[in-house]
Amino acid sequence: MRVHLPNHLPVPTTIHWHGLDVPLAMDGVPGLSQAPVPPGGSFTYAFLATNPGTRWYHSHVDSTLQIELGLFGALIVDPRQPEPEPFAREYTYLLSEKALDVTPEVALSQAQVRYQEAGNGRGGAFTPDLFLMNGKAGEAMEPMATGERIRIRLINAGNLVHAMHLHGHSFRIIATDGNLVPPAAQLTKDVMLIGSGERYDLAVEGTNPGVWLFHCHINNHMENGMVTVLQYAGAQPLADDDGHA
């Protein structure tokens, strides 16, 4: 892989790769393995992606703020040989939290985080308002479609633990942190607790038609965005008295 990073930010940044055995100079840790890329500068990361599976990347300069503002992403490395279990579809979800008090002015050091007197921002921790999947909340998410075996890749890019629960189905944990789990060790669950930086791949058999919730079971996380649905072809959610789904 070659990844060219031109820095158009007003502050330095780097990229760190999770789960990839990169050379030290490609690891993206400022002051340890790489000088930060300055504003207006650039850097090219080059390495062999020899670790197939669910990987991800993020900024490693002022990580609390830069990850909060979206400098992270998924990186799926396909194996050279097809995996033994086929899937009709795959869905990848990056889980994150968003503090609305972290404004563009705060990012540019032109303002302070609001409500600091109440503890917001102390210890570098921001109080989240939204809990997101792929940067989206609630109805902004496209539903998953099934009727066949699907794979769900979960990546926790946030600071909090999330308890992801699928209604109407159990799932098998087929990979952890991008590494395949032997069949004899695959747990079957309907709630998956995922910590910061962790990844889990879930196999779901599409054999129970309907429209089913998939959400974080920490209820305020669900009610503030971390929810989508698994929707079979032809199935529709119930409508309320006004005809709204």
Side-chain angles (χ1 to χ4, degrees), residues 95 97 131 156 158-164 192-196 198 216-218 221 226:
L95 311 179
E97 304 96 35
F131 302 88
N156 189 353
N159 294 323
L160 302 180
V161 171
H162 298 292
M164 301 307 295
M192 179 71 256
L193 199 66
I194 181 169
S196 179
E198 286 190 311
C216 180
H217 213 287
I218 301 172
H221 297 184
M226 196 167 282

Side-chain angles (χ1 to χ4, degrees), residues 26 29 46 61 83 91 99 104-105 120 123 125 131 153 166-167 176 178 186 198-199 215-216 228 230 237:
M26 301 291 113
V29 180
V61 174
E83 294 179 359
Y91 298 92
E105 291 74 23
N120 194 11
F131 302 88
R153 300 179 188 263
L166 179 60
H167 288 218
T176 61
Q186 293 177 3
E198 286 190 311
R199 285 91 68 208
H215 64 94
C216 180
T228 187
L230 176 66

Side-chain angles (χ1 to χ4, degrees), residues 4 8 19 32 39 45 72 78 106 133 137 156 160 167 171 179 182 195 203 211 223 236 243:
H4 187 59
H8 300 295
L32 184 64
Y45 295 88
F72 59 86
D78 291 326
V106 172
M133 301 173 70
N156 189 353
L160 302 180
H167 288 218
F171 49 73
N179 306 303
V211 182
E223 292 168 2
Q236 295 296 325

